[in-house]
Amino acid sequence: MVKSESTLSTREQILAAAERIVMRDGVGSLTIEAVAREAGFSKGGVLYHFDSKDKLVAAMIERLISLFEGDLEHHRNEDKRRPGSWTRAYVQATFAPGASLEDPARAANCTEVSAAMVAAITNNPKLLDPLKERFEAWQQAVEQDGIDPTLATIVRLAADGLWFSELFGFFPPNQELRDRIQATLVKMSEEKNQ
């Protein structure tokens, strides 16, 4: 179970503060000093855990990967059907970030973790390498999911497109259309390999 904000470890509180800053104020506002203020710690306290901004952003990326893979596992365990179960889990995890978290408040704020990508792109794109590696593994899983690899890849790319649209505010669909898109992608992932 995910702990409430007040009982998170110091490291987790620092990461949550960094994510809030990026999402609220923009990546240009992400400094060790700003994170310390936001988290309610001294600059030295933040530096004890993350001795550079790059290490802070790298930890944000690790957290993004960990939360997403937790969601993938959660949805995969709920959907024992084959073929396409991995692809469906990918869609579900992308459309409902934080669903595997037991703390509803944290699950609702799970999108803030995406701030890690924005921070990495701006500060040091090399920090995205672990995420790129995970995307490669996720793509391999999609291609080996027992449905047509082309169709499975289209489903993954559509889910990713929605996520990026929402992350950057590029006119994401309203909730009703979003729900229909999700249902369509899930249905597509149920198609048998032909």
Side-chain angles (χ1 to χ4, degrees), residues 24-168:
R24 182 187 65 226
D25 304 328
V27 72
S29 298
L30 183 65
T31 64
I32 296 293
E33 294 83 3
V35 172
R37 274 192 308 277
E38 181 78 18
F41 298 117
S42 68
K43 181 178 177 183
V46 173
L47 288 170
Y48 175 80
H49 293 277
F50 304 101
D51 63 7
S52 71
K53 188 159 110 175
D54 276 357
K55 288 188 180 172
L56 175 65
V57 173
M60 291 167 70
I61 292 288
E62 289 171 17
R63 184 172 167 167
L64 168 67
I65 293 168
S66 176
L67 286 171
F68 187 74
E69 289 193 330
D71 281 348
L72 278 171
E73 188 64 28
H74 169 78
H75 291 293
R76 186 107 193 267
N77 288 335
E78 286 187 343
D79 180 4
K80 300 290 186 193
R81 298 175 292 163
R82 284 287 272 164
S85 63
W86 205 97
T87 304
R88 283 188 296 281
Y90 191 92
V91 169
Q92 300 293 352
T94 303
F95 275 71
S100 65
L101 302 176
E102 295 180 28
D103 179 355
R106 182 65 190 125
N109 293 325
C110 199
T111 306
E112 291 177 350
V113 179
S114 301
M117 282 186 43
V118 176
I121 290 167
T122 304
N123 289 303
N124 181 353
K126 187 91 173 126
L127 296 174
L128 288 174
D129 286 351
L131 187 57
K132 289 177 184 177
E133 290 172 12
R134 294 314 306 144
F135 266 102
E136 181 179 350
W138 297 332
Q139 176 60 30
Q140 288 173 4
V142 162
E143 290 178 18
Q144 299 168 5
D145 200 20
I147 61 175
D148 176 55
T150 302
L151 182 62
T153 298
I154 290 169
V155 169
R156 181 190 73 82
L157 291 172
D160 290 346
L162 175 97
W163 184 60
F164 286 114
S165 175
E166 291 178 341
L167 174 64
F168 293 109

Side-chain angles (χ1 to χ4, degrees), residues 168-182:
F168 293 109
F170 294 153
F171 201 72
N174 64 39
Q175 188 63 47
E176 180 184 339
L177 181 56
R178 187 181 193 274
D179 292 344
R180 290 195 322 256
I181 292 168
Q182 180 178 2

